[in-house]
Amino acid sequence: MSQQPSTASAASALPGHPFVAYRGAELQIEDVRLSQLAAEHGTPLFVYSKASMLAALAAYQRGFAGRQAQICYAMKANSSLGVLQVFAVAGCGFDIVSGGELERVLAAGGDAAKIIFSGVGKTRAEMRQALQAGIGCFNVESEAELDVLSQVAEALGLRAPVSIRVNPNVDPKTHPYISTGLKDNKFGVAHEDTLRIYQHAASLKGLQVVGIDCHIGSQITDATPYLDAMDRVLDLVASIEASGIALAHIDFGGGLGINYNNDTPPAADALWAQLLRKLDERGYGQKKLMIEPGRSLVGNAGVCVTEVLYVKPGEHKNFCIIDAAMNDLPRPAMYQAFHAIVPVLAESTATPSTPEARYDVVGPICESGDWIGRDRALSVKAGDQLAVLSTGAYCMSMSSNYNTRGRAVELLVDGAKVHVIRERESAADQMRLERLVTL
Ligand SMILES: *Cc1c(COP(=O)(O)O)cnc(C)c1O
């Protein structure tokens, strides 16, 4: 059973957010009122529910019950140390994409042996760093990378454990910027080249072939592309093993979507029930499985609390100007993504003190692309607080200092307990590495 919110009744929980709910007029995360967090820590503010992260993880764990499986949290979704700690303590491995992410995992107490290293552009220095740390697997994305990794490992007197990322050429039907499993993407090696590249990998002295992997995209809300990708990967496993190269594990990547806006992705356990049925039918039920979920573990665990600075009526459009911006919440500007926006203090609908109107919700940054929500019905006035939902994934980790805006404070809520996991960034923090020169 997944954990239930301890105070808020499930009926009042927000769609997709089992641990965010109105209790009376007050929006709460677990047992904590968001208005209280905003009063204590200021805005903009990210808040994450620990129970929500663990419930999302538990759905995968239920799906894999009785199997040899390793869940590697794709930490680029949210790489804050306090978030990594929650997953490390829960026994997760990590999918990393840079040497910096490796250092974060180790700083958070993660197990190096459970790290897999993805990405098309690993540098020699990053390879050396990961080999010396003793990571579990390099997910290699090109033939050229295999050769370099083998050289780097040989020079250290080591053998690099490798898996090759194959491109199954299936359409995940998601945004083009987050679709990765089609032929024309930069990711993985082509299906038809895979066997030859495995044979090349097996011939290199600095490498030890341990697995195969794929990752077809992100925010996938349908099981079909996963089932198609599995078929194609298993075809490859058959031909690679027939050529005499054993594969100890199969890694099916991440990409499962979350509910942003009436999206209906399959639950992780239901999806895996279908996938495992196929795996069993095809005779691979005994193989060790790996997955790399990111968004689906943290996305709906987080909300961003922001304050309305100004309400600006216009001839054609009304603007609601908030203190969070595209530097904090980059997904709308980057992918035209939708985040639900709700009041922290619900108005009584019987006697609303502010009339409802339609607003473009925008930040203070000097860019027309700095919008957070378009054409939203809100009853707001300056000083009100709003919660931007589904902001646990690909928000803080993609945030920037554009306009010399300090990054927001991050809190981890655990029942009634509140932990500051990142302090608000000051201008001095931002200028720390810069130098004035003698002119
Ligand atoms: C980004 C990424 C993931 C995680 O994707 P989500 O959509 O966040 O689950 C997993 N594997 C690889 C290789 C990635 O690049």
Side-chain angles (χ1 to χ4, degrees):
M1 272 305 293
S2 64
Q3 280 175 268
Q4 290 300 315
S6 48
T7 52
S9 80
S12 64
L14 300 183
H17 293 69
F19 297 89
V20 182
Y22 287 101
R23 190 173 191 205
E26 287 270 0
L27 194 59
Q28 288 198 178
I29 189 162
E30 298 198 27
D31 298 339
V32 183
R33 285 182 291 123
L34 292 177
S35 61
Q36 179 198 331
L37 295 178
E40 278 171 26
H41 300 276
T43 53
L45 161 70
F46 284 100
V47 195
Y48 310 120
S49 154
K50 181 184 168 202
S52 182
M53 290 188 247
L54 293 180
L57 177 64
Y60 283 103
Q61 289 167 328
R62 276 196 303 279
F64 289 127
R67 305 269 175 168
Q68 250 215 100
Q70 184 180 306
I71 300 167
C72 293
Y73 167 53
M75 63 177 281
K76 72 177 191 286
N78 188 323
S79 51
S80 299
L81 294 180
V83 171
L84 301 183
Q85 233 185 327
V86 170
F87 290 116
V89 168
C92 285
F94 295 90
D95 175 32
I96 66 168
V97 291
S98 72
E101 286 196 345
L102 172 56
E103 291 193 46
R104 280 185 174 273
V105 173
L106 300 177
D111 179 355
K114 291 186 192 164
I115 293 176
I116 53 185
F117 192 170
S118 299
V120 295
K122 302 173 193 79
T123 65
R124 283 177 166 79
E126 287 174 320
M127 290 172 176
R128 236 174 267 125
Q129 182 192 354
L131 282 163
Q132 282 164 337
I135 70 160
C137 189
F138 289 84
N139 286 359
V140 173
E141 304 227 14
S142 65
E143 205 165 7
E145 185 191 336
L146 279 179
D147 292 326
V148 171
L149 180 58
S150 181
Q151 285 166 20
V152 171
E154 266 199 279
L156 291 172
L158 296 170
R159 290 185 93 179
V162 297
S163 158
I164 294 172
R165 176 167 176 183
V166 300
N167 187 333
N169 196 24
V170 299
D171 186 354
K173 301 186 184 70
T174 183
H175 189 282
Y177 283 10
I178 51 177
S179 159
T180 58
L182 280 165
K183 259 215 276 261
D184 294 338
N185 287 129
K186 69 178 175 182
F187 300 101
V189 306
H191 199 269
E192 55 274 22
D193 300 331
T194 303
L195 180 58
R196 181 181 57 75
I197 295 177
Y198 262 95
Q199 286 168 331
H200 179 59
S203 75
L204 293 173
K205 288 201 186 61
L207 305 183
Q208 169 83 48
V209 173
V210 295
I212 187 166
D213 68 282
C214 73
H215 170 71
I216 56 175
S218 200
Q219 185 53 18
I220 301 168
T221 54
D222 180 11
T224 314
Y226 280 108
L227 289 160
D228 293 348
M230 178 175 272
D231 265 326
R232 287 170 169 257
V233 170
L234 294 181
D235 291 345
L236 290 171
V237 172
S239 67
I240 293 161
E241 294 204 315
S243 82
I245 301 167
L247 297 173
H249 76 251
I250 312 178
D251 173 349
F252 289 103
L256 181 58
I258 62 171
N259 182 3
Y260 284 105
N261 183 22
N262 301 318
D263 302 302
T264 52
D269 46 355
L271 172 68
W272 275 95
Q274 277 191 71
L275 287 167
L276 291 172
R277 210 173 307 130
K278 180 182 284 292
L279 205 69
D280 289 342
E281 277 164 18
R282 295 205 43 183
Y284 292 100
Q286 300 309 308
K287 274 255 190 269
K288 178 172 180 186
L289 300 176
M290 312 248 269
I291 54 161
E292 309 161 355
R295 186 190 315 270
S296 55
L297 291 181
V298 291
N300 279 345
V303 303
C304 177
V305 183
T306 174
E307 185 175 301
V308 176
L309 299 173
Y310 302 101
V311 170
K312 184 175 174 181
E315 201 179 325
H316 300 291
K317 264 185 180 198
N318 302 312
F319 292 98
C320 170
I321 302 166
I322 59 176
D323 67 358
M326 66 187 286
N327 73 301
D328 307 295
L329 301 169
R331 299 185 61 259
M334 226 171 140
Y335 319 109
Q336 283 87 47
F338 181 97
H339 289 283
I341 304 172
V342 300
V344 164
L345 200 60
E347 289 251 345
S348 146
T349 43
T351 54
S353 62
T354 320
E356 188 179 273
R358 300 199 77 85
Y359 293 95
D360 275 11
V361 179
V362 302
I365 285 183
C366 307
E367 295 277 344
S368 295
D370 182 24
W371 59 276
I372 305 300
R374 287 197 160 131
D375 199 27
R376 303 298 177 87
L378 293 167
S379 47
V380 280
K381 57 183 184 308
D384 286 355
Q385 288 156 359
L386 297 170
V388 185
L389 304 184
S390 310
T391 46
Y394 303 108
C395 292
M396 184 49 124
S397 61
M398 293 178 102
S399 67
S400 77
N401 289 126
Y402 190 36
N403 282 208
T404 308
R405 290 171 52 88
R407 283 185 180 76
V409 66
E410 287 180 294
L411 307 176
L412 178 71
V413 165
D414 179 7
K417 277 193 301 226
V418 180
H419 306 279
V420 177
I421 59 169
R422 184 187 166 109
E423 290 175 37
R424 188 175 300 285
E425 197 174 23
S426 68
D429 292 331
Q430 292 183 57
M431 292 187 283
R432 193 173 59 83
L433 302 176
E434 297 178 45
R435 299 290 177 265
L436 289 171
V437 297
T438 310
L439 294 173

